[in-house]
Amino acid sequence: MVMMIESLEGGGAEGFATALATALDRRRFYVTVCVTRRRGRVPDGLLRDAGIDVIHLERSSRLSVRPWMRLLRHLRRDGTDILHGHMFGSNAWAAVIGRLAGVPVVVATEHSWSYGGRPVRRLVDGYLIGRLATAFVAVSSSDARSMVEVEGVPPHKVRLIETALPRRESQNGNGDRFRREIGAGPDVALIAAVASLTKAKALDVLIRAVAVLTASMPAVRLVIAGDGPQRPALTSLIDDLGIADSVDLIGRRSDVPDILAACDAFALSSDNEGSPLAVIEAMDAGCAIVATEVGGVPDLLGKGRYGLLAPRRDPEALAGALLRVLDDRAFAERLGSSARRYAQSQHTLERAARRWEDLYGELAAGLSSNGAPF
């Protein structure tokens, strides 16, 4: 089988796709990963160390069509029986290239999007990917409903497999080390967010919530790990609100377990989400989580059993939920402990890999009995 994704760098989707490739049963699946875009450093060591072949197409833009011929030849030459795309671009190309190459099973996975605006996107999802792919997988029940109701994907094509932690064991971070690095003593109420700095993550709402909090809790501090196009706008907002001493944009980090171990609360302020990996990682770390009630987040947090929920785009409500966990440490510890137990029982990589293996097997068996793939 070939697993296809634009880049190995980025957020949760890229991390999970890489982890899934390494976790599949090698006795049943010979996996090759196809990375389609040219994006600076290519961190494929984990895959190669696991004995997984990696094809780099190095497409430089959306108009780079010629590199697809290399993948087409590979699929035909090797008799690939499963082609699995991750995220919109790879899903669309997998649907087309897979059918041209005669691949029996083509699977598309949408890791999350807002399902609003962009009619061309809805058209491609519903009437290209939705018709050509053997199965179109969502990571949350909310996304699965939107695929059918908003985009028009045939209901029998839609499947649900939630995201999982992209590692086999929990990682216990060194919170003291991170607090020393940023100069935050034990008296500082530390809030952490791990997110790309994009509009969809609505980090401006979280920053405004912290501005509200500082009025009643001066020793509060927010660290946001991640980078993206909204960094200048967020920096300006922080300055305009006069809270530069309370908010740090610390860029992309490789020590996320340390950050999670250091924080008193983990926050997610997104306008839309599927099954966000950052929240699952925070659950695994035992963080007290406050998140917006969007997409698959309420299901992930057990409708409030494993974290507090706040309406989207409401800084005051978000600040109130954060104050509740920061002001009641016993409550925060109970919330974090229950979240950790749930994540470690329901969102393991092994559990997710077995579900994917079952789906691949089911689709292949269905083709052999029914004949046509779609």
Side-chain angles (χ1 to χ4, degrees):
M1 69 170 292
V2 172
M3 199 169 291
M4 193 167 124
I5 194 163
E6 285 193 355
S7 172
L8 297 178
E9 296 182 289
E14 292 84 357
F16 177 72
T18 299
L20 177 61
T22 65
L24 293 173
D25 187 344
R26 302 298 294 278
R27 295 166 298 182
R28 298 177 59 193
F29 302 95
Y30 182 85
V31 184
T32 298
V33 172
C34 176
V35 184
T36 66
R37 287 294 189 98
R38 180 189 301 161
R39 290 185 179 172
R41 179 174 61 89
V42 181
D44 61 7
L46 177 65
L47 294 170
R48 295 191 185 279
D49 289 347
I52 295 173
D53 292 332
V54 183
I55 301 171
H56 292 287
L57 297 186
E58 297 190 343
R59 296 178 65 239
S60 57
S61 72
R62 293 179 180 178
L63 301 178
S64 299
V65 176
R66 182 173 295 181
W68 291 119
M69 297 306 297
R70 182 182 173 198
L71 176 60
L72 186 63
R73 289 193 297 270
H74 173 87
L75 296 174
R76 287 174 170 169
R77 182 184 66 243
D78 284 26
T80 300
D81 51 9
I82 300 171
L83 178 60
H84 182 177
H86 291 266
M87 304 173 71
F88 175 63
S90 292
N91 289 339
W93 282 108
V96 174
I97 300 294
R99 292 315 177 198
L100 288 174
V103 176
V105 174
V106 177
V107 180
T109 305
E110 186 48 71
H111 289 264
S112 181
W113 86 288
S114 66
Y115 299 98
R118 299 180 64 183
V120 172
R121 168 69 183 268
R122 295 200 302 271
L123 184 67
V124 171
D125 272 355
Y127 295 93
L128 176 70
I129 302 170
R131 267 60 182 178
L132 293 181
T134 317
F136 204 161
V137 179
V139 297
S140 73
S141 57
S142 174
D143 282 1
R145 287 192 300 273
S146 294
M147 284 180 176
V148 175
E149 297 172 3
V150 178
E151 296 191 312
V153 177
H156 70 279
K157 296 286 188 78
V158 177
R159 305 300 179 89
L160 171 61
I161 301 180
E162 295 174 335
T163 310
L165 291 164
R167 57 179 184 271
R168 296 183 184 279
E169 297 178 355
S170 297
Q171 295 182 345
N172 295 317
N174 187 335
D176 290 339
R177 185 210 63 77
F178 180 74
R179 279 185 173 260
R180 286 195 301 271
E181 176 190 331
I182 65 171
D187 59 322
V188 173
L190 188 63
I191 304 167
V194 180
S196 57
L197 308 190
T198 59
K199 288 184 177 180
K201 299 301 181 181
L203 291 164
D204 59 310
V205 176
L206 177 57
I207 290 168
R208 292 182 188 279
V210 169
V212 173
L213 273 176
T214 56
S216 57
M217 185 177 282
V220 67
R221 192 161 167 189
L222 167 66
V223 292
I224 301 175
D227 211 345
Q230 286 294 298
R231 187 182 186 97
L234 295 175
T235 300
S236 295
L237 177 62
I238 292 165
D239 291 340
D240 291 345
L241 293 172
I243 54 172
D245 291 338
S246 300
V247 182
D248 297 304
L249 304 179
I250 60 176
R252 289 183 179 174
R253 302 283 297 216
S254 60
D255 59 347
V256 170
D258 292 353
I259 297 171
L260 296 179
C263 72
D264 297 297
F266 178 88
L268 179 132
S269 53
S270 300
D271 282 338
N272 54 81
E273 287 286 355
S275 182
L277 183 59
V279 171
I280 298 174
E281 289 182 324
M283 294 172 74
D284 179 60
C287 296
I289 298 167
V290 174
T292 43
E293 195 170 2
V294 296
V297 175
D299 288 342
L300 188 58
L301 293 180
K303 309 298 185 184
R305 290 195 301 274
Y306 312 122
L308 298 186
L309 297 165
R312 66 185 292 275
R313 289 277 158 191
D314 190 335
E316 288 76 17
L318 191 62
L322 286 166
L323 181 60
R324 184 180 175 193
V325 298
L326 294 175
D327 207 34
D328 189 339
R329 295 300 176 90
F331 171 69
E333 288 179 7
R334 290 196 302 272
L335 202 63
S337 295
S338 62
R340 184 170 195 170
R341 287 193 297 272
Y342 179 74
Q344 293 181 355
S345 66
Q346 300 298 315
H347 291 279
T348 64
L349 180 58
E350 287 76 11
R351 190 172 188 268
R354 300 298 84 79
R355 293 189 66 190
W356 277 105
E357 290 169 356
D358 289 345
L359 176 62
Y360 297 145
E362 174 196 333
L363 296 175
L367 293 181
S368 63
S369 61
N370 296 330
F374 58 94

